[in-house]
Amino acid sequence: MADSPSSTFPILPPAVNLPTVHHQRGHHNILTKARSGPQSPIELLRRMSHDASGPIVDPQAAFPTLGLSGNIISATFCIPLSLGFRRGAGWELRPRQGTSALFEAFYHLSSPASAWNHTLIGWTGEIKHASDYFSTEAVSGPATSASFTRLRAISAPIPVDSSVSHKQTQAQGDGIRLTKADRQDLEKRLARDRCRTVPVWLPDEIEGEEGDFVFKDQVRWRRYADCELYNVCHYKQQEPTDGRKEGRWWADYCQLNQEVANKILQIYKPGDIVWIHDYHLFLLPSLLRQRIPHMHIGFFLHVPFPSSEFVRCLARRKEILGGILGSSMIGFQSYGYSRHFSSSCTRILGFNSSPAGVDAYGAHVAVDILPIGINAEAMEQLAFGDSVIEEKVAALREMYAGKKVIVGRDRLDSVRGLVQKLMAFELFLERYPEWREKVILVQVTSPTSMDEEKEDPELKIATKVAELVSRINGRFGSLSFTPVHHFPQYLQRDEYYALMRLADVGLITSVRDGMNTTGMEYIICQKDHHGPLILSEFSGTAASLANAIQINPWDLAGVARAIDQALNMSPEAKKSAHEKLYNYVTTKTVQSWCNSFLKRLLKILSSVDQSVATPLLDKAALLAQYRRAKKRLFMLDYDGTLTPIVKEPSAAIPTDRVLRTIKTLASDPRNEVWIISGRDQNFLKEWMWDISELGLSAEHGSFMRKPRSDEWINLAEKADMSWQTEVLKVFQQYTEKTQGSFIERKRIALTWHYRRADPEYGSFQAHECRKLLEATVSKKYDVEIMAGKANLEVRPTFISKGEIARRIADEHCETDTPPEFILCMGDDFTDEDMFRALNNAVVVDSTNTNAKQKGLQKGQVFTVTVGASSKMTLAGWHLLEPADVIATLGLLNSNGGGDGGEVVDGDADNGIDHHVDGVPPSAKDVIQGVMPDALGNTDLPAADAGAS
């Protein structure tokens, strides 16, 4: 390019001066001012509701029930500074490129304008030899082609030094050795930074008596995230491999997340808020939740979240989703991304979800849409407050005098739509010849941040871009005119702002993007010129910047029309559109984003009323009463209580451990154990009949077999079953329409299962089916229609688990020796009938002697629901999952041999398989710091919908 403007821009990187003293936060003045106004939390919340993006001036007063400490710990992949080290000279610190909006958020939280004490934790990033690394990088960005030596020659407008390859440059950082003193020096400097930072060290080796850290293959820590997760999030599929390489990457990814978790736990204090950022730390929420169950955890994803069809392509899809679900709240850039996440949790893990969140592992995880912004005020000051920029704007205007300038700035990556942009511009020049030699496209392409493993795909993109630039310039250019000015380089900050101010049109054609702040920066720089913005509808900012000209980058003709439309817009139309965009960008800033996220998180946390939450079963009280009682009664549900819910009902067979536990419990002469299930007679006879001491109730109480009996008693023998023919026709109709559904025909009930169907479509069809049954069958027959876990069941109204529970309890209470211990366990709404019956049987007036003889005492009855503590239930206690139920029954077996007495310290823990509410127990191998093998399988169990 003979007319390249880069020659007019001198490259003089300024130095970075790190602060050497602690930042004065000024919290006292902020809190004093706040307390001089509203005097109650309710008044504070009322004020906050009028300004959703305003700062929380006193979080402790606004949310007194949360016990906030006032501290925020932010966790990010890399710290905001690039590190160089040279023995004898020490550390060199420069601002890191990329994610500028996120780094601005950290600086805001650390500023006096914030009411929080903020600490940032992140990996150091690749540590380079200072003399080699920083000689080729500018402060505000790596230098332009005059000094940037890592560019691929095929991309450059002029030849670059090809003697230094990308791999060679990375190898220069190998073998860096840091002593303890070196590390402490950096840690002290980072602690004094304007954003207090705690680095996470990830050495390859630790050598010597002093424990020197040796860094070699530092890129390993980003490979899984950049080569697997980034691709899936941006709808890019890899070629299939044998999985060995990916297995090593996964082990490194797990270790990275574990090391960050360990560092957080070193500084965490009760009441701290932990805010985790982006896809590099997908496992971190669950790692922290396992260690500290009640930690306040927020997570924000800065990239797109893909459709469940792409998430399913990940070999580690369940671990990834399970890791994210350790959060209290998850934020996304747009509704589409949040919808994809919720759908993935439903389709892959089987959890119930809605636009508000996901019910997972015994907790509700909130999902919210909170698009990030930029530091508009600071950027405007930078763009318009420097005389150097004014000079460069004037120089550019003189250079491009008489021309309309379209500006694009993108990273060299297929998801940025560079190829689509150039092809659309070529079509624009072809279809609108009147603009030839009047319009130029200035395209700045920064090198990708991906590592060397991704070099080949990049070369293909770079080659394609170079070919398109050459073709367009050859077709429509001349000796005096070049339509495309392509600069594959970073720009200095003043160069970038000058170019953005000069532009007549901004053009962003990303084919999949999370938060592209270029559009917002362009709007700020155009506050006087009002140049239109053409924005891809696939960009994460598309929904926010609704007044931009939105295009489909795959529709090249449409993009060409949009360019023509932008160039022909009247000054009035440009001004009107720009004013709306400018108002949005200057009000929805990165500061307001921080405040909005934290407010939403705190409101969600405070909305959980702990006073109505079902407490975790008190095993000490349970065991004490069990050991005192001379007669005990157990009523246990089967599916979802003794065994997990699975997609195929026939696969939910009891394990050896379950059968041994139940048999041991029933063999105690003081115990009477009943299995009260929705299962039919055949299933219970096949698996439970041999335990003669066991009482069985099938089909929700339609049939019962008493302990030590060999006969079924039909409690519905005289019931009218003519309704089944009509219900069966309806079920068959919906079975034909719903792929994967099937009908289960029992003696008394009919059940339509859709657990193997698409979760969303199956739920919709079940709703429609129920409406039809209620409008027809329910009006003609005395039947009940019940919606279970991925099933719909019709049965006579007089049949319920509550009736059988009441019958069994009454039989025992009418004897001379009523039970002194009753344990009833179930997991779904059919089991609520049992809880209700037992609650009604409990004596309220403990002074009534006659009532004492025939009724049940409150301290003797334990009703336990299996599931979240937050779910609505009549039970007095809760356990998280079937594994806890079996462990609890095992506890009673192993500690119930005495004739009474108190529980010995520690008894309540015997036999318990420990894990934490809200975390998948089978994630322990990762959570407890045990890294999986490179090729090991550590899939979390799918919590598939099923029926009880």
Side-chain angles (χ1 to χ4, degrees), residues 315-496:
R316 304 290 180 173
R317 58 197 183 181
K318 293 179 181 178
E319 292 93 329
I320 294 297
L321 292 173
I324 303 170
L325 288 171
S327 309
S328 307
M329 185 184 90
I330 305 168
F332 295 92
Q333 296 283 1
S334 72
Y335 172 70
Y337 303 158
S338 71
R339 178 171 54 84
H340 288 162
F341 175 77
S342 298
S343 177
S344 296
C345 292
T346 298
R347 295 173 184 276
I348 296 172
L349 298 179
F351 293 137
N352 292 329
S353 65
S354 70
V358 181
D359 295 321
Y361 305 121
H364 178 76
V365 181
V367 170
D368 216 331
I369 298 93
L370 295 152
I372 195 173
I374 62 173
N375 189 342
E377 181 180 358
M379 182 173 180
E380 190 167 321
Q381 290 176 354
L382 289 171
F384 292 91
D386 190 340
S387 59
V388 174
I389 296 177
E390 299 296 336
E391 293 174 3
K392 292 188 176 180
V393 171
L396 286 173
R397 282 179 180 156
E398 182 179 352
M399 180 179 298
Y400 297 128
K403 304 290 190 301
K404 295 288 187 179
V405 180
I406 301 173
V407 169
R409 187 199 71 164
D410 303 278
R411 195 173 69 187
L412 185 63
D413 193 326
S414 59
V415 302
R416 305 301 176 181
L418 272 170
V419 172
Q420 287 84 349
K421 181 186 296 187
L422 292 169
M423 293 177 70
F425 185 68
E426 181 181 27
L427 188 61
F428 163 74
L429 294 177
E430 181 180 307
R431 293 193 175 183
Y432 301 92
E434 65 273 18
W435 287 111
R436 296 176 189 173
E437 300 198 6
K438 297 179 181 178
V439 177
I440 62 170
L441 171 63
V442 178
Q443 176 63 45
V444 179
T445 306
S446 58
T448 182
S449 64
M450 298 300 174
D451 65 86
E452 59 197 338
E453 308 265 357
K454 304 271 290 175
E455 190 167 333
D456 289 342
E458 289 170 17
L459 280 174
K460 293 178 183 177
I461 300 168
T463 301
K464 183 66 175 176
V465 168
E467 289 174 352
L468 283 169
V469 170
S470 298
R471 188 172 77 194
I472 296 170
N473 289 340
R475 287 185 64 189
F476 302 104
S478 64
L479 291 175
S480 60
F481 175 72
T482 304
V484 179
H485 293 192
H486 180 219
F487 301 98
Q489 60 195 48
Y490 287 100
L491 290 183
Q492 291 277 13
R493 187 165 53 197
D494 50 4
E495 298 168 350
Y496 173 65

Side-chain angles (χ1 to χ4, degrees), residues 851-887:
K852 278 186 179 181
Q853 291 176 352
K854 292 192 176 183
L856 304 174
Q857 304 304 307
K858 185 175 181 180
Q860 298 173 350
V861 179
F862 295 84
T863 52
V864 182
T865 187
V866 180
S869 62
S870 57
K871 79 176 185 179
M872 300 298 294
T873 181
L874 295 172
W877 307 93
H878 95 283
L879 289 172
L880 180 60
E881 62 177 8
D884 293 333
V885 173
I886 301 304

Side-chain angles (χ1 to χ4, degrees), residues 176-179 183 201 203 205-207 211-215:
I176 291 182
R177 179 183 292 268
L178 298 178
T179 65
R183 302 195 301 272
W201 301 97
E205 299 173 5
I206 300 178
E207 296 181 351
D212 292 353
F213 285 4
V214 179
F215 300 86

Side-chain angles (χ1 to χ4, degrees), residues 268-284:
Y268 174 83
K269 296 178 181 178
D272 288 0
I273 292 175
V274 178
W275 189 355
I276 302 167
H277 295 270
D278 230 1
Y279 60 98
H280 298 86
L281 301 177
F282 272 157
L283 300 180
L284 185 56

